[in-house]
Amino acid sequence: MPADEQLRESDKNLDHKGTAQEILTRAAVQQIHGLAPTPTADVEWARLVTDLSLCLADLAEDDYLVLSHKRANYYVQFAAQGQFGMRAEAASNAYIVPEEALLAPDDYVTMAELGWRIPTDAIQESRPQVLDLTGHLPRILTENPVPDPDGSPNFFVDASYPIDFGVLSELAVRTFREVYNVRHPLLLQYKAFNRNGIEIRFPTLRLKRKET
């Protein structure tokens, strides 16, 4: 066989081998070489929902768990209240820094749609209210405001006992993703402690523990 025909036949064999390799998925090739495929951000967020719900169930009365962004002051925090349930709060513009990280008025609307109660600035909510989105800092306008000890300058939710920890976990994750625009759980950290300031560790969260 002439040399040029031998080369063409060799090229056909190489093409055949290349096609056969394409049948293997990327994940399968990685497993063959002892490498696990890298989970997507969606998978990691789904895992966090599950992991967080289990950790919330482990909180005793007067225990606290805070998830926060590593760079901006975005956070969702939980306070266990025993038979009285659990309070969850999320950062509003009253606490968010730096300035370029502040939420837009539409973000306040999204928070309400997710199920959060809008920051009351210690205003009782039983009276007629209007959500004012015209200014730099969205606020609630209330007729004849009176102090409300159950309000909060943060977004807040009070979950009654028995608590659906899965719902609270999903609310937290959706808040980080849809409002705070956090791309991946690796950008989060956590801090947990009791009323005496003793730190609590949750390695199953698979998040970095915030240093004091």
Side-chain angles (χ1 to χ4, degrees), residues 116-183:
W116 292 103
R117 294 172 66 184
I118 298 299
T120 61
D121 292 328
I123 298 300
Q124 192 171 21
E125 293 192 55
S126 60
R127 299 172 182 269
Q129 292 181 307
V130 175
L131 178 58
D132 179 15
L133 301 176
T134 60
H136 180 61
L137 180 66
R139 57 179 181 152
I140 284 183
L141 302 180
T142 307
E143 295 181 6
N144 302 318
V146 294
D148 179 14
D150 295 325
S152 174
N154 282 317
F155 299 96
F156 65 103
V157 167
D158 288 310
S160 59
Y161 186 87
I163 304 165
D164 190 330
F165 298 108
V167 169
L168 284 181
S169 299
E170 185 173 357
L171 175 62
V173 166
R174 291 190 64 185
T175 299
F176 279 118
R177 299 190 74 180
E178 299 177 25
V179 181
Y180 298 149
N181 295 315
V182 180
R183 299 187 311 275

Side-chain angles (χ1 to χ4, degrees), residues 70-135:
K70 292 179 179 178
R71 298 182 181 89
N73 195 35
Y74 297 137
Y75 58 82
V76 177
Q77 58 190 22
F78 304 89
Q81 299 171 335
Q83 294 297 315
F84 294 99
M86 179 172 288
R87 167 165 282 208
E89 295 191 357
S92 73
N93 280 352
Y95 298 107
I96 291 175
V97 290
E99 184 175 355
E100 55 268 23
L102 291 174
L103 303 180
D106 285 347
D107 294 323
Y108 272 62
V109 174
T110 301
M111 290 292 276
E113 292 174 345
L114 289 177
W116 292 103
R117 294 172 66 184
I118 298 299
T120 61
D121 292 328
I123 298 300
Q124 192 171 21
E125 293 192 55
S126 60
R127 299 172 182 269
Q129 292 181 307
V130 175
L131 178 58
D132 179 15
L133 301 176
T134 60

